[in-house]
Amino acid sequence: MRIPRRALPALIMAATLAPCSYAAVTSVDVGPALPRAALVKEGVHHYLRYLHNGDARIPLDIITREIRFSTEDGQQRMRITQRYDAAAAAPSLKTVTSWFDAGSFRPRTHERIAEKDGKRVVEGFVFAPDKITGMKDLADSVNKDLVVASPEPTFNFETDIETLQALPLADGFEARINFYHPGSQQGPARYLFKVTGSASLPGPGGMIDCWVVTTDYNRPGTISTFWFAKGSQLMVRQDSPVGEGKVAVKILID
């Protein structure tokens, strides 16, 4: 079809002003160093997790997350330790220790111990490029025979906020990340995370300018939202719907 010359300027202007119908999505793969891995520094942070249900805010637990680096066989390793102290009347405790190759966040091992009502459950996992298996030499582990296939190397879902912290968050940034939650019978899967804008949130030291990141965790219609401080990219808050109008909130308290 021949377009009249007088119509060309209008068409060019329309194409220039029309919003882009798609955004480039970054595939975040296990192996290369993550672009902003240097922002993940040694230290300890604490989060309060509570359930927001109507006007009620019900405390769930205090989460302590500690990051340490060390050298093993000439290679730098990163350890992330988590401790969950429940706020319920019946005390419970969960501790999680995860090891990685520093920089790339390639997971190596993951150990989880849960203590509640006098019972102690120990789990251990080993990450390999093609599978996740139970840690056979971990005493008292209940999942030594676990084998979950991984068609491609996967990141550890229990350390997602540190993984996201190491990415180049910016307006319009979108990433598909292969995650596996240790112990789940559902194998690794790619999840889409989007930077949807900016917002300021009150923090321990005043207002914090944040990147807003969302994901549906592959469950359409249920959007979880993260706020990461610009600059450090430390997670300040996470809101995740848990059904029946309830929202689980995790907020930085130090």
Side-chain angles (χ1 to χ4, degrees):
M1 180 180 68
R2 187 175 181 180
I3 301 174
R5 288 186 178 183
R6 287 178 296 177
L8 285 174
L11 289 173
I12 294 172
M13 180 64 71
T16 303
L17 296 179
C20 186
S21 61
Y22 65 92
V25 178
T26 299
S27 177
V28 180
D29 301 320
V30 177
L34 298 183
R36 295 183 183 169
L39 293 177
V40 181
K41 302 181 183 299
E42 283 198 334
V44 179
H45 295 285
H46 298 87
Y47 292 87
L48 168 66
R49 188 167 58 165
Y50 64 88
L51 187 65
H52 187 186
N53 183 15
D55 294 331
R57 288 167 174 77
I58 305 165
L60 298 176
D61 49 28
I62 297 290
I63 305 170
T64 303
R65 300 178 82 101
E66 179 181 18
I67 298 173
R68 296 295 175 207
F69 294 95
S70 62
T71 302
E72 178 184 329
D73 299 329
Q75 301 295 318
Q76 191 175 35
R77 308 290 189 221
M78 177 177 68
R79 184 190 71 195
I80 299 178
T81 304
Q82 304 175 61
R83 177 185 171 107
Y84 294 73
D85 290 279
S92 67
L93 172 66
K94 182 173 71 174
T95 56
V96 183
T97 302
S98 311
W99 282 95
F100 307 82
D101 290 345
S104 70
F105 282 53
R106 181 178 77 86
R108 300 176 67 84
T109 61
H110 184 87
E111 298 177 33
R112 183 168 57 227
I113 301 174
E115 300 177 61
K116 185 177 181 180
D117 298 331
K119 297 179 181 179
R120 185 172 184 267
V121 178
V122 178
E123 299 170 279
F125 308 86
V126 178
F127 283 77
D130 61 342
K131 61 186 174 183
I132 300 94
T133 58
M135 193 181 295
K136 294 187 180 299
D137 58 354
L138 179 62
D140 302 323
S141 178
V142 299
N143 67 326
K144 294 183 180 183
D145 296 327
L146 175 79
V147 179
V148 176
S150 183
E152 61 175 320
T154 181
F155 290 98
N156 184 341
F157 222 158
E158 285 209 54
T159 54
D160 56 341
I161 65 175
E162 289 84 6
T163 306
L164 291 168
Q165 183 183 2
L167 298 182
L169 303 181
D171 282 323
F173 177 75
E174 298 186 11
R176 286 197 181 276
I177 310 173
N178 193 37
F179 274 125
Y180 171 70
H181 189 281
S184 172
Q185 292 302 316
Q186 179 180 337
R190 289 269 177 178
Y191 297 85
L192 179 64
F193 294 83
K194 302 179 181 181
V195 176
T196 58
S198 302
S200 293
L201 287 184
M207 297 301 293
I208 303 174
D209 193 18
C210 298
W211 295 117
V212 180
V213 178
T214 63
T215 183
D216 67 359
Y217 288 120
N218 295 344
R219 298 192 300 268
T222 59
I223 299 297
S224 291
T225 306
F226 303 78
W227 290 262
F228 290 89
K230 292 183 179 179
S232 70
Q233 295 195 172
L234 181 69
M235 194 191 79
V236 177
R237 178 174 173 138
Q238 176 185 351
D239 287 13
S240 294
V242 292
E244 300 178 354
K246 301 175 184 177
V247 179
V249 179
K250 185 187 301 179
I251 188 164
L252 184 69
I253 56 175
D254 64 0

